[in-house]
Amino acid sequence: MTTFKAACLSGLLLSAATGAALADPPQGRLVDGVYHCEVYTLGQFIHLGDIIIEGDSYRGPYRFGPPPPPQKYELSPEGDLTWLGPLGGFTSGGNSIDLTQVTANSDAAASFDIIMREASGNFSATTCDKQ
């Protein structure tokens, strides 16, 4: 009987330890990791670069070479993401960010959508998923 109790207690402790590793990020933060950003156009997905999220900072997007220096971001309780620095081609050449909305934010799934206003006035949407 004590072996059974010990096994049950051991299983509960293992479950608790595993659950702690899968905790959601703190309020106002994204899940840390590398987010792969793609746009769907002309019948295919095009990779626009990766964004690295670490705490309250981001680096990217980048495709080749070292990532750019870290910049800060802010995440509202409603899931609106504000980039406080440049965001590669999304904010260069007359392009600007219209909206970034978090679509999932847990260790199980993390992603956000970037709506960019192009220099021409058109809009395009990019999805970034944590790898």
Side-chain angles (χ1 to χ4, degrees):
M1 182 86 158
T2 39
T3 306
F4 177 73
K5 286 182 183 177
C8 287
L9 180 58
S10 174
L12 287 173
L13 292 175
L14 179 60
S15 294
T18 304
L22 297 175
D24 290 342
Q27 184 73 13
R29 299 287 178 258
L30 292 168
V31 174
D32 285 353
V34 177
Y35 290 74
H36 183 80
C37 300
E38 293 182 328
V39 64
Y40 185 77
T41 186
L42 302 173
Q44 63 183 349
F45 288 98
I46 298 172
H47 178 224
L48 298 178
D50 294 328
I51 297 175
I52 299 171
I53 300 293
E54 295 171 328
D56 65 349
S57 298
Y58 71 93
R59 298 187 310 161
Y62 72 98
R63 288 190 67 185
F64 307 105
Q71 302 287 332
K72 298 289 186 185
Y73 72 86
E74 292 177 349
L75 179 60
S76 77
E78 295 78 29
D80 294 329
L81 189 57
T82 302
W83 308 102
L84 301 177
L87 196 61
F90 293 105
T91 57
S92 65
N95 298 329
S96 62
I97 301 297
D98 193 60
L99 170 74
T100 303
Q101 183 68 47
V102 174
T103 54
N105 194 25
S106 70
D107 272 345
S111 61
F112 52 85
D113 292 334
I114 300 173
I115 308 300
M116 178 181 70
R117 180 185 292 259
E118 299 170 4
S120 65
N122 295 329
F123 291 90
S124 63
T126 301
T127 298
C128 301
D129 294 307
K130 183 175 174 281
Q131 300 299 297

